[in-house]
Amino acid sequence: MKLQEIERAVEALQTKLSTDQITLNETVRELHGRDESYHAQKLPDIVVFPATTKDVVNIMEISKSLHVPIIPFGLGSSLEGHVIPDNGGITIDFSQMNQVLEVLEHDFLVKVQPGVTRTQLNKELKKYGLFFPVDPGADATLGGMAATNASGTTSVKYGVMRDQVRDLEVVLADGTVIHTGNKAAKSSSGLHLNGLFTGSEGTLGCFTELTLKVYGIPEHVSAARASFPSVKDAVEAVVSILQAGIPIARVELVDEVSIRQVNLFSETDYAEKPTLFLEFHGNEAGLKQDIAFMNEIVEGHNCESIEFETDNAGRNRLWEARHNLAYAFIHGNPGKKMMVTDVCLPISELAGAVADAREKVFALGMVGGIVGHVGDGNFHVLLMMDMNDPEEVAKAQLLNEQIVLYALERGGTCTGEHGVGIGKQKYQQQEHGAALLVMERIKQALDPDNRLNPNKLIKQETRGAVQ
Amino acid sequence: MKLQEIERAVEALQTKLSTDQITLNETVRELHGRDESYHAQKLPDIVVFPATTKDVVNIMEISKSLHVPIIPFGLGSSLEGHVIPDNGGITIDFSQMNQVLEVLEHDFLVKVQPGVTRTQLNKELKKYGLFFPVDPGADATLGGMAATNASGTTSVKYGVMRDQVRDLEVVLADGTVIHTGNKAAKSSSGLHLNGLFTGSEGTLGCFTELTLKVYGIPEHVSAARASFPSVKDAVEAVVSILQAGIPIARVELVDEVSIRQVNLFSETDYAEKPTLFLEFHGNEAGLKQDIAFMNEIVEGHNCESIEFETDNAGRNRLWEARHNLAYAFIHGNPGKKMMVTDVCLPISELAGAVADAREKVFALGMVGGIVGHVGDGNFHVLLMMDMNDPEEVAKAQLLNEQIVLYALERGGTCTGEHGVGIGKQKYQQQEHGAALLVMERIKQALDPDNRLNPNKLIKQETRGAVQ
């Protein structure tokens, strides 16, 4: 934005918000100009901190009258540059809208503001014997998680973010406030706006309230670590467990390179072999039978060792090790940035895809671990690269592209859970074909000025083609 | 359509389809002018029977160039007039596109044409040890079930139709063919078109292929019938079972009036009391523990008797009795038509809503049974009315409206699973508020001529208001 435009916008904002809700401070703008990805930093011109839905409506109306872009911001833990302003504008930071508004325990629902984080919510829910299952690793905000349709380790049992959304309060581009759903468990009334807005990455509106499904904390939980001679054996074991109808609550593949990094960082001494981290929820008798059956299955897939953790502390240690993996790589490779690939394939294609990616990382001589939410067919290569080494960056980008194309050719998707943001736009045409035009028409219908997180998810150049 | 327009359309269709794929026959048109609801019959002008996606594209292109409405038709088992042409046009009957195209057993997916029925699919899947869970009662086509976001007895465990849709091949209003998804278990790529098109009731496009999730046939199944002194006790028992985390696969409430009708029709001798029909899926040991726990819970809610059916034949008898209920009422009330209400509420509001509805039916002196997918908060009043008795029709309509308003005032929806069609349009404004404008804009963006199943789901009058 030009200086004059910024001044005019601040002036307008000051008529509606208090002074401490508006800032031009460079440090604050810098914090809002990046996320946890390798994508280049770009600053917003203004950062605002609404406290209410009405504040957001006022900001949106000013954005409309002055033609200023709006970028919604949770905690900046996105992985594809979702919160990085394309070309300046107003970043709306939702950190002051961080109240758990209502726990409807008998309806298994909770109503929250968008700035509530996942661990904050779970702390509150624990009082009611409830929990919120979606766990993307980072302690992201629920608004951000809904915006990217986040998922993670538990989605094999509980589903992804979109499956939890019962209602969103959304401020549209023109300042209108809508509700996308209701409190009923199912509905065949009208078009499915819950699903459309979840995963829309701030391009169709700003979320100001979310009503989400929650679950009873399971009676019994059992966790295990199982190591295998090869990634292929590990993945095939998971497929067999799923086919046997054993209800896994979590299953994570961590390859040998990643286990080594975990051991270095978390001071564990796990066998440096492709390993499955597993968790089962259920009643005591049922779990016992499931686990006995599972033991037989993994044995048939050359499992070399399996260790169980049934107490809380042991389970927490196990999942902490898994969650700390990204930090372990970053910590172990100072000065490098991480690129995280994120394809998801039909489960029958997963073993081949992971093996292919592993080979390619080795062939390029790069540092990179592979982890996967293998129950869903989703895996990540955590690739370390020196951003000052153009050759290394080019190699990482080539690898990412090869992994995406491998998935798309086999009926998969370029992003299982991180979203499109900036990084995956170039694959949208190939993945969606003519359906991309439908998405573009919807964007145009709901944000005709292209002010909402412009050039994320859907690129403006492509939109120009729609008539 | 005027005679001349019909002639011109038939002429155009004849250049693309064979003669036996096009008919003006009045009997055939009559069959396509009604569904299983009480809504008044209206005939299409032409009925066509495509055999391929290309046929549908050709029909759509002709519809575009001649400005003729298109109404997709599965088997006509819809309950809110979805397939009844608003003002003539071409009905596309999908009965010739009825192939199960591919069973991807290792990916737990199946690819079908829209005319495949649910029992036809399950017959095929059984060969692979798989099944498709969504069970709306009627042997509907999968295309129709996706169009209305159908659900039924098993959705408490397996989810609704929308939860099963991985990909739809859709022919849009201009003849473009798109795919709304892929074969991966999850995706954060692009806007969620799977969810948007599922439940769109033929207003955004015609489905020509569906890729759906399927499930392993459970190892053990146990079914039970439990009777209670009151509907309130029965509903509260279900809430307690859900809160205890016992994974119910099906739970149906059948009230005393309905049990009497079942006994008359199915020659059973079930106690004429509010009764829960329950089913549990799992492994043997887990089921045993769940059922012991469940027994304790229902006892605490004054359960008067509980009977188990563990063998296949007994279970089938039990669910057949439940499924035949609508026919039992129709059979027992010759000459009358059935109106079926369909609200869904937050589970905490269900007991009150059912009791209120029961009282109102008695107060009006009408014949009507209540059944409910109570695990989801969804219930139906099956109301018999003589269409030649305007007073009775008015009473039924008033009751339907009162039940809808009760649900909307408590955070519910006017339709849990039947869809909007013609019958629930009048509640869309109250239920969705400003969100209805978003739906209207999407409809306008994707079907600017309003040719696709016009005046279903979204009314044209309302659309006129959008600018």
Side-chain angles (χ1 to χ4, degrees):
Chain A
M1 291 165 74
K2 289 183 197 143
L3 190 58
Q4 210 184 351
E5 290 171 328
I6 295 172
E7 277 169 6
R8 209 165 41 170
V10 169
E11 224 168 86
L13 289 165
Q14 278 169 343
T15 67
K16 300 290 182 181
L17 302 175
S18 65
T19 318
D20 60 353
Q21 289 184 295
I22 311 163
T23 187
L24 301 173
N25 177 293
E26 189 156 352
T27 313
V28 177
R29 287 165 50 225
E30 278 172 0
L31 280 171
H32 292 83
R34 60 175 185 238
D35 61 5
E36 287 186 10
S37 74
Y38 61 95
H39 296 290
Q41 192 182 40
K42 283 170 145 186
L43 307 200
D45 297 293
I46 306 168
V47 181
V48 293
F49 299 86
T52 62
T53 299
K54 183 71 192 143
D55 285 348
V56 179
V57 170
N58 284 329
I59 297 162
M60 200 65 97
E61 283 172 354
I62 290 166
S63 139
K64 181 178 156 79
S65 68
L66 301 179
H67 299 284
V68 181
I70 290 287
I71 305 97
F73 186 99
L75 261 173
S77 56
S78 60
L79 287 168
E80 288 295 355
H82 300 78
V83 298
I84 303 175
D86 180 61
N87 187 22
I90 302 172
T91 285
I92 304 185
D93 179 312
F94 283 96
S95 57
Q96 286 185 24
M97 290 178 73
N98 66 346
Q99 300 302 304
V100 176
L101 299 172
E102 204 180 357
V103 179
L104 298 155
E105 53 180 314
H106 298 296
D107 292 317
F108 296 91
L109 292 176
V110 65
K111 199 188 274 191
V112 299
Q113 289 187 309
V116 171
T117 70
R118 143 186 105 71
T119 56
Q120 180 195 345
L121 175 60
N122 273 322
K123 208 174 145 190
E124 180 64 24
L125 290 176
K126 208 176 171 182
K127 299 175 194 164
Y128 302 84
L130 298 169
F131 81 112
F132 184 72
V134 182
D135 169 11
D139 188 20
T141 63
L142 292 158
M145 286 166 66
T148 54
N149 189 30
S151 50
T153 59
T154 61
S155 63
V156 63
K157 181 178 169 80
Y158 296 95
V160 301
M161 197 65 193
R162 186 174 280 127
D163 299 312
Q164 320 308 330
V165 172
R166 280 281 175 82
D167 183 36
L168 299 170
E169 183 182 81
V170 184
V171 179
L172 298 178
D174 63 1
T176 306
V177 180
I178 64 162
H179 280 263
T180 59
N182 53 55
K183 288 193 279 188
K186 62 183 198 187
S187 174
S188 284
S189 179
L191 297 174
H192 189 50
L193 300 187
N194 275 341
L196 182 70
F197 279 84
T198 305
S200 64
E201 302 187 357
T203 64
L204 302 182
C206 285
F207 307 157
T208 45
E209 225 176 80
L210 302 89
T211 302
L212 304 169
K213 275 172 80 174
V214 294
Y215 299 80
I217 294 174
E219 193 197 340
H220 283 270
V221 176
S222 187
R225 237 175 339 100
S227 60
F228 293 83
S230 74
V231 161
K232 192 162 171 280
D233 285 314
V235 172
E236 285 175 357
V238 174
V239 173
S240 296
I241 293 170
L242 289 173
Q243 277 168 351
I246 298 174
I248 311 182
R250 295 178 169 187
V251 54
E252 295 286 299
L253 170 73
V254 184
D255 81 342
E256 62 276 28
V257 176
S258 306
I259 292 281
R260 196 170 312 136
Q261 206 69 37
V262 165
N263 281 342
L264 280 171
F265 184 80
S266 302
E267 297 183 354
T268 45
D269 60 347
Y270 298 160
E272 295 183 357
K273 292 280 187 172
T275 301
L276 293 178
F277 289 40
L278 297 141
E279 195 170 286
F280 301 87
H281 298 174
N283 70 37
E284 201 172 357
L287 266 189
K288 223 167 160 178
Q289 185 172 338
D290 280 341
I291 285 170
F293 191 13
M294 192 264 299
N295 263 324
E296 269 176 51
I297 292 173
V298 296
E299 215 168 279
H301 288 281
N302 310 316
C303 177
E304 291 177 340
S305 82
I306 181 158
E307 313 251 0
F308 285 89
E309 307 275 10
T310 46
D311 68 304
N312 239 321
R315 277 206 316 276
N316 286 345
R317 233 178 4 253
L318 187 149
W319 289 110
E320 223 174 88
R322 161 67 188 88
H323 273 149
N324 286 335
L325 185 58
Y327 300 104
F329 271 107
I330 291 165
H331 191 82
N333 294 275
K336 294 205 173 194
K337 280 255 185 189
M338 182 180 276
M339 177 189 274
V340 190
T341 73
D342 177 41
V343 295
C344 189
L345 298 100
I347 192 96
S348 63
E349 296 285 356
L350 184 66
V354 172
D356 182 76
R358 180 73 276 170
E359 265 172 41
K360 283 179 177 141
V361 177
F362 281 140
L364 286 171
M366 294 192 73
V367 177
I370 295 184
V371 291
H373 310 308
V374 286
D376 308 314
N378 182 208
F379 76 95
H380 309 298
V381 183
L382 312 178
L383 215 55
M384 302 309 301
M385 58 184 182
D386 179 350
M387 295 304 286
N388 296 317
D389 178 348
E391 205 185 317
E392 197 165 83
V393 173
K395 278 201 287 189
Q397 275 166 341
L398 177 68
L399 182 71
N400 196 350
E401 177 144 316
Q402 286 173 334
I403 288 171
V404 167
L405 298 181
Y406 185 102
L408 293 184
E409 282 159 14
R410 287 160 181 82
T413 174
C414 69
T415 169
E417 56 184 14
H418 295 169
V420 174
I422 304 168
K424 295 291 171 64
Q425 284 180 357
K426 52 179 168 292
Y427 310 118
Q428 294 296 293
Q429 179 63 50
Q430 181 167 351
E431 177 165 343
H432 300 296
L436 189 57
L437 287 175
V438 173
M439 298 178 196
E440 289 163 359
R441 279 186 200 147
I442 292 169
K443 165 75 172 168
Q444 210 156 34
L446 301 186
D447 178 24
D449 311 333
N450 193 29
R451 278 180 292 107
L452 300 185
N453 212 1
N455 290 337
K456 306 293 160 51
L457 191 77
I458 286 165
K459 232 180 176 155
Q460 202 176 7
E461 295 96 273
T462 334
R463 287 188 55 217
V466 188
Q467 277 323 327
Chain B
M1 292 167 72
K2 291 182 194 142
L3 190 60
Q4 209 182 354
E5 290 171 328
I6 296 172
E7 275 170 6
R8 208 164 44 168
V10 169
E11 224 167 83
L13 289 164
Q14 278 170 342
T15 66
K16 301 290 182 180
L17 302 175
S18 65
T19 318
D20 59 354
Q21 290 183 294
I22 312 163
T23 186
L24 301 175
N25 177 291
E26 189 155 353
T27 312
V28 177
R29 286 164 53 224
E30 278 172 0
L31 280 171
H32 292 82
R34 62 176 184 235
D35 60 6
E36 287 187 11
S37 73
Y38 62 95
H39 295 291
Q41 192 182 40
K42 282 168 143 189
L43 307 202
D45 296 294
I46 304 167
V47 181
V48 293
F49 299 85
T52 63
T53 299
K54 185 71 193 140
D55 285 347
V56 179
V57 170
N58 285 330
I59 296 162
M60 201 64 98
E61 284 172 354
I62 290 165
S63 139
K64 182 177 155 77
S65 67
L66 301 180
H67 300 283
V68 180
I70 290 288
I71 303 98
F73 187 100
L75 261 173
S77 55
S78 59
L79 287 168
E80 289 294 356
H82 299 78
V83 298
I84 302 176
D86 179 61
N87 186 21
I90 301 172
T91 285
I92 304 185
D93 179 314
F94 283 96
S95 59
Q96 284 184 27
M97 290 177 73
N98 66 346
Q99 300 301 305
V100 176
L101 297 171
E102 206 179 355
V103 178
L104 298 155
E105 52 180 314
H106 297 296
D107 293 316
F108 295 91
L109 293 175
V110 66
K111 198 187 275 188
V112 299
Q113 289 187 310
V116 171
T117 71
R118 148 185 102 70
T119 56
Q120 181 195 346
L121 175 60
N122 273 322
K123 205 174 148 191
E124 181 64 24
L125 290 175
K126 207 173 172 185
K127 298 176 193 162
Y128 300 85
L130 297 169
F131 81 112
F132 183 71
V134 183
D135 168 12
D139 188 21
T141 64
L142 292 157
M145 287 165 66
T148 53
N149 189 32
S151 50
T153 60
T154 62
S155 63
V156 64
K157 180 176 170 80
Y158 296 94
V160 301
M161 197 65 194
R162 186 176 278 126
D163 299 312
Q164 321 307 331
V165 171
R166 281 280 177 82
D167 183 35
L168 297 171
E169 183 182 82
V170 185
V171 179
L172 299 178
D174 63 359
T176 306
V177 180
I178 64 163
H179 279 263
T180 59
N182 53 55
K183 286 191 280 188
K186 62 184 198 185
S187 173
S188 284
S189 180
L191 298 175
H192 189 51
L193 300 187
N194 274 342
L196 183 69
F197 279 84
T198 305
S200 63
E201 304 187 356
T203 65
L204 302 181
C206 286
F207 308 157
T208 45
E209 224 175 81
L210 302 90
T211 302
L212 303 169
K213 276 173 79 176
V214 294
Y215 298 79
I217 293 173
E219 195 196 336
H220 283 270
V221 176
S222 187
R225 236 177 337 103
S227 59
F228 293 83
S230 75
V231 160
K232 192 160 172 279
D233 286 313
V235 172
E236 286 175 357
V238 173
V239 173
S240 297
I241 294 170
L242 290 172
Q243 277 168 351
I246 299 174
I248 312 182
R250 294 180 170 184
V251 54
E252 295 285 300
L253 169 74
V254 183
D255 80 342
E256 63 275 27
V257 176
S258 305
I259 292 281
R260 194 169 314 137
Q261 207 69 36
V262 165
N263 281 342
L264 280 171
F265 184 79
S266 300
E267 297 184 355
T268 44
D269 59 350
Y270 298 160
E272 293 181 0
K273 292 279 185 172
T275 302
L276 294 177
F277 288 42
L278 297 139
E279 195 168 287
F280 302 87
H281 298 173
N283 70 38
E284 199 171 359
L287 265 190
K288 224 169 162 176
Q289 186 171 336
D290 280 342
I291 284 169
F293 192 11
M294 190 267 295
N295 263 324
E296 269 175 52
I297 293 173
V298 296
E299 215 167 280
H301 289 281
N302 310 316
C303 176
E304 292 177 338
S305 83
I306 182 158
E307 313 252 0
F308 286 90
E309 307 276 9
T310 46
D311 68 302
N312 240 321
R315 279 204 316 279
N316 287 346
R317 231 179 4 253
L318 188 148
W319 291 109
E320 225 175 86
R322 161 68 188 88
H323 273 149
N324 286 335
L325 184 58
Y327 299 104
F329 272 107
I330 292 166
H331 192 81
N333 294 276
K336 294 205 174 197
K337 279 254 183 188
M338 182 180 276
M339 177 189 274
V340 190
T341 74
D342 178 40
V343 296
C344 188
L345 297 102
I347 191 98
S348 63
E349 297 285 358
L350 184 65
V354 172
D356 182 76
R358 179 73 276 169
E359 265 172 43
K360 283 179 176 140
V361 175
F362 281 140
L364 286 172
M366 294 193 72
V367 177
I370 295 185
V371 292
H373 311 307
V374 286
D376 307 315
N378 183 207
F379 77 93
H380 308 298
V381 183
L382 312 178
L383 214 55
M384 302 310 301
M385 57 185 183
D386 179 349
M387 296 302 286
N388 296 317
D389 177 351
E391 204 186 319
E392 195 164 87
V393 172
K395 279 200 285 186
Q397 275 166 340
L398 176 70
L399 182 72
N400 196 352
E401 179 145 313
Q402 286 173 334
I403 288 172
V404 166
L405 298 181
Y406 185 103
L408 293 184
E409 281 159 16
R410 286 160 182 82
T413 175
C414 69
T415 166
E417 55 183 16
H418 295 169
V420 175
I422 305 168
K424 295 292 169 67
Q425 283 181 357
K426 53 178 166 292
Y427 310 117
Q428 294 296 292
Q429 179 63 48
Q430 179 166 352
E431 177 164 343
H432 300 297
L436 189 58
L437 286 176
V438 172
M439 299 178 195
E440 289 164 358
R441 279 187 198 144
I442 292 169
K443 166 73 174 171
Q444 209 157 34
L446 300 186
D447 179 24
D449 310 333
N450 193 28
R451 276 182 291 109
L452 300 184
N453 211 1
N455 291 337
K456 305 293 160 56
L457 192 78
I458 287 165
K459 230 177 176 158
Q460 202 175 7
E461 295 95 272
T462 333
R463 286 187 57 216
V466 188
Q467 274 323 324

